[in-house]
Amino acid sequence: MVIDSIQKGIVIDHITAGRGTKILSYLNIDTSEHTVAFIMNAVSRKAGRKDVIKIEDVTDIDLTALGLIDPSATVNIIENSKIVKKIHLELPETVVNVIRCNNPRCVTSIERSAPHIFHLINGEEREYRCEYCDEIINAKGDWNHEALHSEWANLRNGK
């Protein structure tokens, strides 16, 4: 399989095998305008297996959300076919409108315009606490309920 290098864009590398689809879904890249290469379950000397995403002509992405989904991933910014910046993702201390509070009595369930604000309380377990109701969300899970779905990402980005 041959996937050429890109002139300008980003390469998200060292994604934990299987999490690439969630990252790609969250990014909600318009594939009619941008070339996207998604490599699943590639061999990795470091991790055994990994996913890789290459996106041409896109450099502005939400690193906070990516750090929450997979803090082991790296983001390479590409210009003129060369890596000009390498970013090692980390778990963010605070996330806004990335995790949804599941507590039906939380103000975010009643006031739709209230931002969903969470603070990291346990990095090893990837647990976050809702600023309003103290609900604990484990971001280590399967991402079916905690993370934003693409329609939330569109609302956050004003689309």
PDB file of all heavy atoms in Angstrom, residues 13-25:
ATOM      1  N   ASP A  13      -0.622  10.761  14.303  1.00  0.00           N
ATOM      2  CA  ASP A  13       0.089   9.487  14.346  1.00  0.00           C
ATOM      3  C   ASP A  13       0.031   8.906  15.761  1.00  0.00           C
ATOM      4  O   ASP A  13      -0.356   9.581  16.706  1.00  0.00           O
ATOM      5  CB  ASP A  13       1.546   9.719  13.928  1.00  0.00           C
ATOM      6  CG  ASP A  13       2.256   8.447  13.514  1.00  0.00           C
ATOM      7  OD1 ASP A  13       1.642   7.363  13.545  1.00  0.00           O
ATOM      8  OD2 ASP A  13       3.450   8.537  13.167  1.00  0.00           O
ATOM      9  N   HIS A  14       0.404   7.667  15.872  1.00  0.00           N
ATOM     10  CA  HIS A  14       0.465   6.951  17.154  1.00  0.00           C
ATOM     11  C   HIS A  14      -0.899   6.900  17.848  1.00  0.00           C
ATOM     12  O   HIS A  14      -0.982   6.907  19.072  1.00  0.00           O
ATOM     13  CB  HIS A  14       1.516   7.558  18.082  1.00  0.00           C
ATOM     14  CG  HIS A  14       2.861   7.655  17.461  1.00  0.00           C
ATOM     15  ND1 HIS A  14       3.619   6.539  17.178  1.00  0.00           N
ATOM     16  CD2 HIS A  14       3.567   8.715  17.012  1.00  0.00           C
ATOM     17  CE1 HIS A  14       4.751   6.921  16.603  1.00  0.00           C
ATOM     18  NE2 HIS A  14       4.738   8.241  16.489  1.00  0.00           N
ATOM     19  N   ILE A  15      -1.964   6.857  17.059  1.00  0.00           N
ATOM     20  CA  ILE A  15      -3.309   6.722  17.617  1.00  0.00           C
ATOM     21  C   ILE A  15      -3.474   5.278  18.072  1.00  0.00           C
ATOM     22  O   ILE A  15      -3.131   4.350  17.344  1.00  0.00           O
ATOM     23  CB  ILE A  15      -4.382   7.052  16.556  1.00  0.00           C
ATOM     24  CG1 ILE A  15      -4.191   8.461  16.002  1.00  0.00           C
ATOM     25  CG2 ILE A  15      -5.782   6.868  17.124  1.00  0.00           C
ATOM     26  CD1 ILE A  15      -5.028   8.745  14.762  1.00  0.00           C
ATOM     27  N   THR A  16      -3.986   5.089  19.263  1.00  0.00           N
ATOM     28  CA  THR A  16      -4.244   3.745  19.761  1.00  0.00           C
ATOM     29  C   THR A  16      -5.126   3.021  18.748  1.00  0.00           C
ATOM     30  O   THR A  16      -6.143   3.564  18.306  1.00  0.00           O
ATOM     31  CB  THR A  16      -4.950   3.794  21.129  1.00  0.00           C
ATOM     32  OG1 THR A  16      -4.118   4.531  22.036  1.00  0.00           O
ATOM     33  CG2 THR A  16      -5.215   2.407  21.679  1.00  0.00           C
ATOM     34  N   ALA A  17      -4.721   1.816  18.358  1.00  0.00           N
ATOM     35  CA  ALA A  17      -5.463   1.049  17.350  1.00  0.00           C
ATOM     36  C   ALA A  17      -6.943   0.980  17.722  1.00  0.00           C
ATOM     37  O   ALA A  17      -7.290   0.632  18.851  1.00  0.00           O
ATOM     38  CB  ALA A  17      -4.880  -0.343  17.210  1.00  0.00           C
ATOM     39  N   GLY A  18      -7.801   1.357  16.782  1.00  0.00           N
ATOM     40  CA  GLY A  18      -9.239   1.333  16.995  1.00  0.00           C
ATOM     41  C   GLY A  18      -9.837   2.687  17.352  1.00  0.00           C
ATOM     42  O   GLY A  18     -11.035   2.895  17.202  1.00  0.00           O
ATOM     43  N   ARG A  19      -9.033   3.629  17.831  1.00  0.00           N
ATOM     44  CA  ARG A  19      -9.561   4.948  18.198  1.00  0.00           C
ATOM     45  C   ARG A  19      -9.557   5.933  17.033  1.00  0.00           C
ATOM     46  O   ARG A  19     -10.124   7.010  17.126  1.00  0.00           O
ATOM     47  CB  ARG A  19      -8.767   5.536  19.356  1.00  0.00           C
ATOM     48  CG  ARG A  19      -9.087   4.866  20.657  1.00  0.00           C
ATOM     49  CD  ARG A  19      -8.767   5.742  21.829  1.00  0.00           C
ATOM     50  NE  ARG A  19      -8.996   4.965  23.038  1.00  0.00           N
ATOM     51  CZ  ARG A  19      -8.214   4.981  24.079  1.00  0.00           C
ATOM     52  NH1 ARG A  19      -7.156   5.766  24.100  1.00  0.00           N
ATOM     53  NH2 ARG A  19      -8.476   4.244  25.123  1.00  0.00           N
ATOM     54  N   GLY A  20      -8.930   5.576  15.948  1.00  0.00           N
ATOM     55  CA  GLY A  20      -8.861   6.459  14.790  1.00  0.00           C
ATOM     56  C   GLY A  20     -10.225   6.802  14.239  1.00  0.00           C
ATOM     57  O   GLY A  20     -10.468   7.938  13.813  1.00  0.00           O
ATOM     58  N   THR A  21     -11.145   5.847  14.239  1.00  0.00           N
ATOM     59  CA  THR A  21     -12.486   6.115  13.718  1.00  0.00           C
ATOM     60  C   THR A  21     -13.195   7.170  14.564  1.00  0.00           C
ATOM     61  O   THR A  21     -13.906   8.012  14.030  1.00  0.00           O
ATOM     62  CB  THR A  21     -13.341   4.835  13.660  1.00  0.00           C
ATOM     63  OG1 THR A  21     -13.344   4.220  14.942  1.00  0.00           O
ATOM     64  CG2 THR A  21     -12.824   3.875  12.618  1.00  0.00           C
ATOM     65  N   LYS A  22     -13.010   7.124  15.886  1.00  0.00           N
ATOM     66  CA  LYS A  22     -13.650   8.117  16.762  1.00  0.00           C
ATOM     67  C   LYS A  22     -13.047   9.491  16.519  1.00  0.00           C
ATOM     68  O   LYS A  22     -13.770  10.490  16.455  1.00  0.00           O
ATOM     69  CB  LYS A  22     -13.505   7.710  18.230  1.00  0.00           C
ATOM     70  CG  LYS A  22     -14.348   8.543  19.143  1.00  0.00           C
ATOM     71  CD  LYS A  22     -15.814   8.415  18.793  1.00  0.00           C
ATOM     72  CE  LYS A  22     -16.664   9.313  19.622  1.00  0.00           C
ATOM     73  NZ  LYS A  22     -18.072   9.235  19.262  1.00  0.00           N
ATOM     74  N   ILE A  23     -11.729   9.560  16.357  1.00  0.00           N
ATOM     75  CA  ILE A  23     -11.076  10.839  16.081  1.00  0.00           C
ATOM     76  C   ILE A  23     -11.555  11.388  14.745  1.00  0.00           C
ATOM     77  O   ILE A  23     -11.923  12.558  14.635  1.00  0.00           O
ATOM     78  CB  ILE A  23      -9.546  10.693  16.116  1.00  0.00           C
ATOM     79  CG1 ILE A  23      -9.081  10.483  17.559  1.00  0.00           C
ATOM     80  CG2 ILE A  23      -8.860  11.914  15.500  1.00  0.00           C
ATOM     81  CD1 ILE A  23      -7.609  10.196  17.710  1.00  0.00           C
ATOM     82  N   LEU A  24     -11.581  10.546  13.735  1.00  0.00           N
ATOM     83  CA  LEU A  24     -12.025  10.981  12.408  1.00  0.00           C
ATOM     84  C   LEU A  24     -13.480  11.451  12.446  1.00  0.00           C
ATOM     85  O   LEU A  24     -13.833  12.466  11.858  1.00  0.00           O
ATOM     86  CB  LEU A  24     -11.842   9.846  11.408  1.00  0.00           C
ATOM     87  CG  LEU A  24     -11.797  10.213   9.946  1.00  0.00           C
ATOM     88  CD1 LEU A  24     -10.743  11.262   9.660  1.00  0.00           C
ATOM     89  CD2 LEU A  24     -11.531   8.978   9.109  1.00  0.00           C
ATOM     90  N   SER A  25     -14.316  10.734  13.167  1.00  0.00           N
ATOM     91  CA  SER A  25     -15.713  11.127  13.310  1.00  0.00           C
ATOM     92  C   SER A  25     -15.827  12.467  14.029  1.00  0.00           C
ATOM     93  O   SER A  25     -16.591  13.338  13.624  1.00  0.00           O
ATOM     94  CB  SER A  25     -16.481  10.050  14.073  1.00  0.00           C
ATOM     95  OG  SER A  25     -17.772  10.477  14.377  1.00  0.00           O
TER      96      SER A  25
END
